[in-house]
Amino acid sequence: MRKSVKRAYSRYTEEAICLLANLIRSARIEQKLTTQEVADRAGISRSMLQRIEKADLRCQVGAVFEVATIVGVSLFDASQSLTTIRKEINRSKEKLSLLPKTAHKAHKVVDDDF
Amino acid sequence: MRKSVKRAYSRYTEEAICLLANLIRSARIEQKLTTQEVADRAGISRSMLQRIEKADLRCQVGAVFEVATIVGVSLFDASQSLTTIRKEINRSKEKLSLLPKTAHKAHKVVDDDF
DNA sequence: CTAACATGAGTCATATATAAACCATTTCAT
DNA sequence: ATGAAATGGTTTATATATGACTCATGTTAG
């Protein structure tokens, strides 16, 4: 079964995606690309691109990133190129390997019995 | 009708999301948060969080960003805070207002007829 | 000015993502 | 060591996102 979902997003998430949407649209127009063209290149429908540029939170993250990449909007801090992003991935893997595998909660020592 | 879709993503997109996933997982474990906890806070299921941490490109962008926000992975360069991100949104709006509204293709003047 | 084109917005059928539940395995605290 | 807890990997029913159309409006090049 599936609980009927009316998801609530934090203000920060909403605005982050709004910014991303605006950046995408700007970049697209600056490069004189039509919605149809970008959609084709990204392998999505024009309606989908419309939703992305309207900051629809429900779009697939892959589609959004793909479009961003196509119009040249960089996604993370230092990840401008494939090379740098790969380095960062490796760093993150190293880091992950040093961390514990699971996140056990600190046991509440119960002394609230009086 | 709907064409059955086997979407292809660029290498860059894949790796960008892979990096994001790794950063999220690292951050979660560092903070000793279980998958269940983070899922609850984000208002998603544990299975969803698992896919996010496995860099599944088909997750909703809103869910991914929400999780990133919760564990403290920043999405843009300088947009650590709501205030800075809002400034950037405004800047992007200004910029957008100066651009043409539609992206007309430059007419190919055909002189390739000899 | 105006025709061609880009975009916005809505509908609909259906492919697909999602939440829930379950079990097996791994990991960690004690 | 051992048990409690966390995680991985399924499966399934259903809500939902998506692509394809269509029409209306806006915009721009010429």
Side-chain angles (χ1 to χ4, degrees):
Chain A
M1 268 140 271
R2 187 184 181 194
K3 193 158 47 174
S4 101
V5 176
K6 177 68 80 175
R7 212 170 296 188
Y9 296 98
S10 75
R11 195 133 194 96
Y12 182 85
T13 294
E14 281 178 12
E15 308 222 352
I17 294 186
C18 178
L19 175 57
L20 181 52
N22 285 353
L23 292 176
I24 286 175
R25 169 165 256 262
S26 286
R28 179 179 64 77
I29 296 186
E30 270 185 340
Q31 297 172 39
K32 298 194 190 305
L33 298 170
T34 70
T35 50
Q36 188 66 61
E37 268 183 297
V38 174
D40 288 346
R41 291 200 204 172
I44 61 177
S45 65
R46 192 169 70 89
S47 351
M48 178 84 275
L49 180 61
Q50 285 185 127
R51 273 186 237 116
I52 291 176
E53 291 194 350
K54 266 203 307 191
D56 190 323
L57 298 158
R58 295 160 306 184
C59 305
Q60 290 188 8
V61 64
V64 177
F65 277 37
E66 188 74 17
V67 169
T69 301
I70 288 175
V71 300
V73 171
S74 74
L75 297 166
F76 291 97
D77 305 357
S79 50
Q80 316 283 13
S81 76
L82 210 44
T83 344
T84 45
I85 209 174
R86 277 182 184 152
K87 278 181 198 160
E88 298 212 41
I89 288 179
N90 286 334
R91 292 206 320 129
S92 73
K93 279 184 184 163
E94 275 184 56
K95 183 176 181 183
L96 207 45
S97 70
L98 298 179
L99 287 173
K101 315 295 177 194
T102 67
H104 274 256
K105 286 283 90 178
H107 269 210
K108 286 174 189 267
V109 179
V110 249
D111 62 348
D112 46 277
D113 55 332
F114 61 93
Chain B
M1 267 142 271
R2 187 185 181 193
K3 193 158 44 175
S4 100
V5 175
K6 177 70 76 175
R7 212 170 296 186
Y9 296 97
S10 75
R11 196 136 194 94
Y12 182 84
T13 294
E14 280 178 12
E15 309 221 353
I17 294 186
C18 178
L19 174 57
L20 180 51
N22 285 353
L23 292 177
I24 286 174
R25 170 165 256 264
S26 285
R28 178 179 65 75
I29 296 186
E30 271 186 339
Q31 297 171 39
K32 299 193 189 306
L33 298 171
T34 71
T35 51
Q36 188 66 63
E37 269 183 294
V38 174
D40 288 346
R41 290 200 205 171
I44 62 178
S45 65
R46 192 168 70 91
S47 355
M48 177 84 274
L49 181 62
Q50 283 185 131
R51 284 211 295 284
I52 291 177
E53 290 193 352
K54 265 203 308 191
D56 190 322
L57 297 158
R58 296 161 305 184
C59 303
Q60 291 189 8
V61 64
V64 177
F65 277 36
E66 188 73 18
V67 169
T69 302
I70 287 175
V71 299
V73 172
S74 73
L75 299 164
F76 292 96
D77 302 358
S79 51
Q80 315 283 15
S81 74
L82 210 44
T83 347
T84 44
I85 209 175
R86 279 184 183 151
K87 278 183 197 157
E88 298 211 42
I89 289 180
N90 286 333
R91 291 206 322 129
S92 74
K93 280 186 184 163
E94 274 183 57
K95 184 178 182 183
L96 207 46
S97 71
L98 298 178
L99 288 172
K101 314 295 179 195
T102 70
H104 275 254
K105 286 283 89 178
H107 270 210
K108 285 173 190 267
V109 179
V110 249
D111 63 347
D112 46 274
D113 53 332
F114 62 94

